[in-house]
Amino acid sequence: MIDATPDPTTLDDHAFAVWAAEAAGEVLLRVRAESGLEGKELKDAGDAAAQELLARLLAEHRPDDAVLSEEATDDKARLSADRVWIIDPLDGTREFSEPPRDDWAVHVALWEASAGGDGLTAGAVAQPALGETFNTGAPGAVPARTSTRPRIAVSRTRPPAFVEALAAEIDAELVPMGSAGVKVMSVVRDLADAYVHAGGQYQWDNAAPVAVARAAGLHCSRVDGSPLVYNEDDTSLPDLIVCRPELAEQIIDFVKRHGTD
């Protein structure tokens, strides 16, 4: 069991992100196992429980920082804040509501105004049902590629048509799976070689996964190759590529030639 009251002075931002994500994951596993709920009621209960815990931990241990969460009203004070936690308390509610699926996650990321690039300085993606947390504090290196054909992670319910066309052009295999965070982590874990998405996401959907993937040495960008930018007024961040560096140019070139329609 994770200590519910750690000494915040002992946790750097990387460790705090891990601890908070895992604490939320424990709550979600209890809701899933003990609530007796199903379907939408289970989804809603999970969202609410994880949001309540993460909001409380951030207020207690990072009281001077702003927060952007999928499950809370957007406080625009974050736009002038030096530090903003970008969180998704439960990424993959559909998969969460279908025990024993493990392809759902908790996202906790830190954005800092003083940082360069995308501004993300710490992040953790917990997959509680898998018993794993991937993070920027100990990102490791992406394993050597084990497949002969590129593998592209896609939605198990609605893979984009342009990704199917991309796969045909580069002779790639499509690998269906659940939440956005799980798809990005599949590239970190060498279960896939790329995740290419267009058609609607928000900053909380990919901030923590991108932080972890970038720390592991993967390419992360918009589908046209432009940088990902966080803590923007508009929370929409509809498209991204996370892939092994050697595939980036090929994928971006395809999108520039064919678009994403």
Side-chain angles (χ1 to χ4, degrees), residues 160-182:
F162 88 95
V163 176
E164 294 180 345
L166 167 65
E169 179 168 304
I170 67 173
D171 189 30
E173 173 189 1
L174 298 181
V175 184
M177 59 187 72
S179 79
V182 168

Side-chain angles (χ1 to χ4, degrees), residues 86-167:
I86 303 176
I87 64 172
D88 188 344
L90 174 53
D91 180 55
T93 53
R94 179 197 296 262
E95 290 74 24
F96 172 75
S97 71
E98 298 175 357
R101 294 195 70 97
D102 62 23
D103 50 346
W104 51 277
V106 179
H107 299 177
V108 178
L110 175 64
W111 175 93
E112 295 189 74
S114 60
D118 56 27
L120 300 174
T121 57
V125 177
Q127 288 187 237
L130 190 66
E132 294 276 0
T133 302
F134 308 93
N135 67 92
T136 53
V142 176
R145 183 168 152 185
T146 57
S147 65
T148 55
R149 297 173 64 199
R151 300 158 297 176
I152 303 177
V154 295
S155 170
R156 65 189 182 98
T157 57
R158 51 188 186 280
F162 88 95
V163 176
E164 294 180 345
L166 167 65

Side-chain angles (χ1 to χ4, degrees), residues 9 34 47 63 76 81 95 117 163-164 202 229 232 238:
T9 63
E34 300 171 8
D47 275 332
K76 297 296 186 179
E95 290 74 24
V163 176
E164 294 180 345
Y202 295 86
V229 181
E232 294 288 281

Side-chain angles (χ1 to χ4, degrees), residues 184 195-198 201 206 210 221-223 228 238-242:
V184 176
Y195 172 43
V196 186
H197 178 84
Q201 283 189 9
N206 53 54
V210 163
S221 73
R222 301 288 297 268
V223 292
L228 294 158
D239 59 78
L240 82 159
I241 297 169
V242 176

Side-chain angles (χ1 to χ4, degrees), residues 183-221:
K183 293 186 189 77
V184 176
M185 292 308 100
S186 75
V187 187
V188 172
R189 299 169 62 203
D190 187 39
L191 300 178
D193 302 300
Y195 172 43
V196 186
H197 178 84
Q201 283 189 9
Y202 295 86
Q203 294 178 41
W204 47 74
D205 289 313
N206 53 54
V210 163
V212 174
R214 181 165 45 73
L218 294 170
H219 169 90
C220 303
S221 73

Side-chain angles (χ1 to χ4, degrees), residues 3-25:
D3 181 2
T5 55
D7 179 355
T9 63
T10 68
L11 297 179
D12 65 15
D13 290 323
H14 302 286
F16 180 84
V18 171
W19 172 74
E22 291 183 346

